[in-house]
Amino acid sequence: MQTPFSWLSPDLQGNVLIALSVLSLTLMKMLSEIGRDLTIRNEHIPFGIINLEFPWTEERAASIVKVWSGRGLVGKAVQQTELDFILLLLYPAALSLAGTMVVSSGDGPLAAAVSFFSWAVLLCTPLDAFENLMILRMLSGSSASPVPQLTTISAGLKFLLVASSVVSMLSMLALKALR
């Protein structure tokens, strides 16, 4: 089945996947360190920047930004979001390539699903970029509708694509292991 990385020789696929994965995980660790202070449980911000990815309402978005602003943390949120523009180029490619490798020796409906999600997960790049732009807008004080709703929808679609991609790959690997 054709996937975005079918053109890459099987010999290179593993090396490229390792490189993309290491870069993604390293950047995720850096983002986690930068955003550590954004998690403020007693202010109802238990997941840091993720809370601003899913604000849904103007009030929720404004309250998160107000808390961070009062603690001098908006700069960290901006820094974390700006660095995420690099990550959004890496993790979708890594997931897509992983899908290519998983589906390479399979067929049937599950292989078709993995192939589909190896393409679909690439939509995470524009979804995440749009989400980041909306987050930066909220961090600059513009959290009027429809910004929080668009941010939430973009983030939700992004996470749904990531989860669907991972679940389809794990299902196919489990099926292969049972055979």
mmCIF file with all atom_site columns, all heavy atoms in Angstrom, residues 162-177:
data_model
loop_
_atom_site.group_PDB
_atom_site.id
_atom_site.type_symbol
_atom_site.label_atom_id
_atom_site.label_alt_id
_atom_site.label_comp_id
_atom_site.label_asym_id
_atom_site.label_entity_id
_atom_site.label_seq_id
_atom_site.pdbx_PDB_ins_code
_atom_site.Cartn_x
_atom_site.Cartn_y
_atom_site.Cartn_z
_atom_site.occupancy
_atom_site.B_iso_or_equiv
_atom_site.pdbx_formal_charge
_atom_site.auth_seq_id
_atom_site.auth_comp_id
_atom_site.auth_asym_id
_atom_site.auth_atom_id
_atom_site.pdbx_PDB_model_num
ATOM 1   N N   . VAL A 1 162 ? -3.440 11.749  16.007 1.00 0.00 ? 162 VAL A N   1
ATOM 2   C CA  . VAL A 1 162 ? -2.287 11.081  16.636 1.00 0.00 ? 162 VAL A CA  1
ATOM 3   C C   . VAL A 1 162 ? -2.743 9.783   17.285 1.00 0.00 ? 162 VAL A C   1
ATOM 4   O O   . VAL A 1 162 ? -2.139 8.711   17.077 1.00 0.00 ? 162 VAL A O   1
ATOM 5   C CB  . VAL A 1 162 ? -1.598 12.002  17.661 1.00 0.00 ? 162 VAL A CB  1
ATOM 6   C CG1 . VAL A 1 162 ? -0.616 11.226  18.530 1.00 0.00 ? 162 VAL A CG1 1
ATOM 7   C CG2 . VAL A 1 162 ? -0.896 13.158  16.952 1.00 0.00 ? 162 VAL A CG2 1
ATOM 8   N N   . ALA A 1 163 ? -3.805 9.848   18.075 1.00 0.00 ? 163 ALA A N   1
ATOM 9   C CA  . ALA A 1 163 ? -4.295 8.644   18.766 1.00 0.00 ? 163 ALA A CA  1
ATOM 10  C C   . ALA A 1 163 ? -4.748 7.581   17.773 1.00 0.00 ? 163 ALA A C   1
ATOM 11  O O   . ALA A 1 163 ? -4.425 6.392   17.948 1.00 0.00 ? 163 ALA A O   1
ATOM 12  C CB  . ALA A 1 163 ? -5.442 9.013   19.708 1.00 0.00 ? 163 ALA A CB  1
ATOM 13  N N   . SER A 1 164 ? -5.455 7.971   16.739 1.00 0.00 ? 164 SER A N   1
ATOM 14  C CA  . SER A 1 164 ? -5.928 7.002   15.741 1.00 0.00 ? 164 SER A CA  1
ATOM 15  C C   . SER A 1 164 ? -4.757 6.346   15.016 1.00 0.00 ? 164 SER A C   1
ATOM 16  O O   . SER A 1 164 ? -4.779 5.136   14.759 1.00 0.00 ? 164 SER A O   1
ATOM 17  C CB  . SER A 1 164 ? -6.841 7.691   14.726 1.00 0.00 ? 164 SER A CB  1
ATOM 18  O OG  . SER A 1 164 ? -7.980 8.210   15.357 1.00 0.00 ? 164 SER A OG  1
ATOM 19  N N   . SER A 1 165 ? -3.755 7.124   14.713 1.00 0.00 ? 165 SER A N   1
ATOM 20  C CA  . SER A 1 165 ? -2.563 6.594   14.058 1.00 0.00 ? 165 SER A CA  1
ATOM 21  C C   . SER A 1 165 ? -1.873 5.567   14.953 1.00 0.00 ? 165 SER A C   1
ATOM 22  O O   . SER A 1 165 ? -1.545 4.457   14.515 1.00 0.00 ? 165 SER A O   1
ATOM 23  C CB  . SER A 1 165 ? -1.607 7.738   13.721 1.00 0.00 ? 165 SER A CB  1
ATOM 24  O OG  . SER A 1 165 ? -0.410 7.261   13.179 1.00 0.00 ? 165 SER A OG  1
ATOM 25  N N   . VAL A 1 166 ? -1.662 5.931   16.204 1.00 0.00 ? 166 VAL A N   1
ATOM 26  C CA  . VAL A 1 166 ? -0.976 5.033   17.143 1.00 0.00 ? 166 VAL A CA  1
ATOM 27  C C   . VAL A 1 166 ? -1.805 3.774   17.388 1.00 0.00 ? 166 VAL A C   1
ATOM 28  O O   . VAL A 1 166 ? -1.266 2.653   17.357 1.00 0.00 ? 166 VAL A O   1
ATOM 29  C CB  . VAL A 1 166 ? -0.661 5.768   18.469 1.00 0.00 ? 166 VAL A CB  1
ATOM 30  C CG1 . VAL A 1 166 ? -0.172 4.803   19.536 1.00 0.00 ? 166 VAL A CG1 1
ATOM 31  C CG2 . VAL A 1 166 ? 0.373  6.870   18.224 1.00 0.00 ? 166 VAL A CG2 1
ATOM 32  N N   . VAL A 1 167 ? -3.099 3.920   17.597 1.00 0.00 ? 167 VAL A N   1
ATOM 33  C CA  . VAL A 1 167 ? -3.962 2.752   17.860 1.00 0.00 ? 167 VAL A CA  1
ATOM 34  C C   . VAL A 1 167 ? -3.979 1.815   16.657 1.00 0.00 ? 167 VAL A C   1
ATOM 35  O O   . VAL A 1 167 ? -3.899 0.595   16.812 1.00 0.00 ? 167 VAL A O   1
ATOM 36  C CB  . VAL A 1 167 ? -5.389 3.187   18.261 1.00 0.00 ? 167 VAL A CB  1
ATOM 37  C CG1 . VAL A 1 167 ? -6.364 2.025   18.220 1.00 0.00 ? 167 VAL A CG1 1
ATOM 38  C CG2 . VAL A 1 167 ? -5.368 3.820   19.651 1.00 0.00 ? 167 VAL A CG2 1
ATOM 39  N N   . SER A 1 168 ? -4.069 2.372   15.455 1.00 0.00 ? 168 SER A N   1
ATOM 40  C CA  . SER A 1 168 ? -4.088 1.499   14.272 1.00 0.00 ? 168 SER A CA  1
ATOM 41  C C   . SER A 1 168 ? -2.774 0.736   14.132 1.00 0.00 ? 168 SER A C   1
ATOM 42  O O   . SER A 1 168 ? -2.771 -0.461  13.829 1.00 0.00 ? 168 SER A O   1
ATOM 43  C CB  . SER A 1 168 ? -4.405 2.298   13.003 1.00 0.00 ? 168 SER A CB  1
ATOM 44  O OG  . SER A 1 168 ? -3.356 3.162   12.639 1.00 0.00 ? 168 SER A OG  1
ATOM 45  N N   . MET A 1 169 ? -1.652 1.413   14.375 1.00 0.00 ? 169 MET A N   1
ATOM 46  C CA  . MET A 1 169 ? -0.350 0.735   14.288 1.00 0.00 ? 169 MET A CA  1
ATOM 47  C C   . MET A 1 169 ? -0.204 -0.338  15.359 1.00 0.00 ? 169 MET A C   1
ATOM 48  O O   . MET A 1 169 ? 0.239  -1.456  15.072 1.00 0.00 ? 169 MET A O   1
ATOM 49  C CB  . MET A 1 169 ? 0.794  1.746   14.411 1.00 0.00 ? 169 MET A CB  1
ATOM 50  C CG  . MET A 1 169 ? 0.991  2.584   13.179 1.00 0.00 ? 169 MET A CG  1
ATOM 51  S SD  . MET A 1 169 ? 2.471  3.604   13.262 1.00 0.00 ? 169 MET A SD  1
ATOM 52  C CE  . MET A 1 169 ? 1.918  4.963   14.275 1.00 0.00 ? 169 MET A CE  1
ATOM 53  N N   . LEU A 1 170 ? -0.571 -0.003  16.603 1.00 0.00 ? 170 LEU A N   1
ATOM 54  C CA  . LEU A 1 170 ? -0.462 -0.985  17.679 1.00 0.00 ? 170 LEU A CA  1
ATOM 55  C C   . LEU A 1 170 ? -1.383 -2.180  17.420 1.00 0.00 ? 170 LEU A C   1
ATOM 56  O O   . LEU A 1 170 ? -1.004 -3.332  17.709 1.00 0.00 ? 170 LEU A O   1
ATOM 57  C CB  . LEU A 1 170 ? -0.782 -0.344  19.030 1.00 0.00 ? 170 LEU A CB  1
ATOM 58  C CG  . LEU A 1 170 ? 0.244  0.670   19.540 1.00 0.00 ? 170 LEU A CG  1
ATOM 59  C CD1 . LEU A 1 170 ? -0.240 1.308   20.834 1.00 0.00 ? 170 LEU A CD1 1
ATOM 60  C CD2 . LEU A 1 170 ? 1.616  0.024   19.731 1.00 0.00 ? 170 LEU A CD2 1
ATOM 61  N N   . SER A 1 171 ? -2.564 -1.934  16.872 1.00 0.00 ? 171 SER A N   1
ATOM 62  C CA  . SER A 1 171 ? -3.490 -3.027  16.550 1.00 0.00 ? 171 SER A CA  1
ATOM 63  C C   . SER A 1 171 ? -2.895 -3.939  15.508 1.00 0.00 ? 171 SER A C   1
ATOM 64  O O   . SER A 1 171 ? -2.968 -5.166  15.621 1.00 0.00 ? 171 SER A O   1
ATOM 65  C CB  . SER A 1 171 ? -4.833 -2.465  16.060 1.00 0.00 ? 171 SER A CB  1
ATOM 66  O OG  . SER A 1 171 ? -5.449 -1.698  17.049 1.00 0.00 ? 171 SER A OG  1
ATOM 67  N N   . MET A 1 172 ? -2.284 -3.365  14.487 1.00 0.00 ? 172 MET A N   1
ATOM 68  C CA  . MET A 1 172 ? -1.683 -4.176  13.440 1.00 0.00 ? 172 MET A CA  1
ATOM 69  C C   . MET A 1 172 ? -0.490 -4.967  13.971 1.00 0.00 ? 172 MET A C   1
ATOM 70  O O   . MET A 1 172 ? -0.305 -6.139  13.640 1.00 0.00 ? 172 MET A O   1
ATOM 71  C CB  . MET A 1 172 ? -1.272 -3.324  12.257 1.00 0.00 ? 172 MET A CB  1
ATOM 72  C CG  . MET A 1 172 ? -0.803 -4.156  11.089 1.00 0.00 ? 172 MET A CG  1
ATOM 73  S SD  . MET A 1 172 ? -1.022 -3.260  9.561  1.00 0.00 ? 172 MET A SD  1
ATOM 74  C CE  . MET A 1 172 ? -0.458 -4.514  8.451  1.00 0.00 ? 172 MET A CE  1
ATOM 75  N N   . LEU A 1 173 ? 0.321  -4.320  14.801 1.00 0.00 ? 173 LEU A N   1
ATOM 76  C CA  . LEU A 1 173 ? 1.455  -5.034  15.410 1.00 0.00 ? 173 LEU A CA  1
ATOM 77  C C   . LEU A 1 173 ? 0.978  -6.176  16.311 1.00 0.00 ? 173 LEU A C   1
ATOM 78  O O   . LEU A 1 173 ? 1.565  -7.265  16.300 1.00 0.00 ? 173 LEU A O   1
ATOM 79  C CB  . LEU A 1 173 ? 2.340  -4.057  16.186 1.00 0.00 ? 173 LEU A CB  1
ATOM 80  C CG  . LEU A 1 173 ? 3.140  -3.062  15.350 1.00 0.00 ? 173 LEU A CG  1
ATOM 81  C CD1 . LEU A 1 173 ? 3.801  -2.017  16.239 1.00 0.00 ? 173 LEU A CD1 1
ATOM 82  C CD2 . LEU A 1 173 ? 4.165  -3.774  14.478 1.00 0.00 ? 173 LEU A CD2 1
ATOM 83  N N   . ALA A 1 174 ? -0.088 -5.944  17.057 1.00 0.00 ? 174 ALA A N   1
ATOM 84  C CA  . ALA A 1 174 ? -0.639 -6.984  17.922 1.00 0.00 ? 174 ALA A CA  1
ATOM 85  C C   . ALA A 1 174 ? -1.179 -8.140  17.076 1.00 0.00 ? 174 ALA A C   1
ATOM 86  O O   . ALA A 1 174 ? -0.949 -9.314  17.414 1.00 0.00 ? 174 ALA A O   1
ATOM 87  C CB  . ALA A 1 174 ? -1.743 -6.418  18.802 1.00 0.00 ? 174 ALA A CB  1
ATOM 88  N N   . LEU A 1 175 ? -1.845 -7.817  16.004 1.00 0.00 ? 175 LEU A N   1
ATOM 89  C CA  . LEU A 1 175 ? -2.368 -8.850  15.108 1.00 0.00 ? 175 LEU A CA  1
ATOM 90  C C   . LEU A 1 175 ? -1.246 -9.667  14.503 1.00 0.00 ? 175 LEU A C   1
ATOM 91  O O   . LEU A 1 175 ? -1.324 -10.897 14.430 1.00 0.00 ? 175 LEU A O   1
ATOM 92  C CB  . LEU A 1 175 ? -3.237 -8.219  14.012 1.00 0.00 ? 175 LEU A CB  1
ATOM 93  C CG  . LEU A 1 175 ? -3.968 -9.172  13.082 1.00 0.00 ? 175 LEU A CG  1
ATOM 94  C CD1 . LEU A 1 175 ? -4.957 -10.030 13.871 1.00 0.00 ? 175 LEU A CD1 1
ATOM 95  C CD2 . LEU A 1 175 ? -4.676 -8.397  11.979 1.00 0.00 ? 175 LEU A CD2 1
ATOM 96  N N   . LYS A 1 176 ? -0.175 -9.000  14.083 1.00 0.00 ? 176 LYS A N   1
ATOM 97  C CA  . LYS A 1 176 ? 0.990  -9.708  13.534 1.00 0.00 ? 176 LYS A CA  1
ATOM 98  C C   . LYS A 1 176 ? 1.600  -10.626 14.589 1.00 0.00 ? 176 LYS A C   1
ATOM 99  O O   . LYS A 1 176 ? 2.034  -11.739 14.293 1.00 0.00 ? 176 LYS A O   1
ATOM 100 C CB  . LYS A 1 176 ? 2.036  -8.712  13.046 1.00 0.00 ? 176 LYS A CB  1
ATOM 101 C CG  . LYS A 1 176 ? 1.718  -8.055  11.735 1.00 0.00 ? 176 LYS A CG  1
ATOM 102 C CD  . LYS A 1 176 ? 2.850  -7.122  11.315 1.00 0.00 ? 176 LYS A CD  1
ATOM 103 C CE  . LYS A 1 176 ? 2.554  -6.427  10.022 1.00 0.00 ? 176 LYS A CE  1
ATOM 104 N NZ  . LYS A 1 176 ? 3.663  -5.553  9.583  1.00 0.00 ? 176 LYS A NZ  1
ATOM 105 N N   . ALA A 1 177 ? 1.668  -10.153 15.832 1.00 0.00 ? 177 ALA A N   1
ATOM 106 C CA  . ALA A 1 177 ? 2.268  -10.941 16.908 1.00 0.00 ? 177 ALA A CA  1
ATOM 107 C C   . ALA A 1 177 ? 1.431  -12.181 17.225 1.00 0.00 ? 177 ALA A C   1
ATOM 108 O O   . ALA A 1 177 ? 1.984  -13.225 17.614 1.00 0.00 ? 177 ALA A O   1
ATOM 109 C CB  . ALA A 1 177 ? 2.440  -10.089 18.161 1.00 0.00 ? 177 ALA A CB  1
#
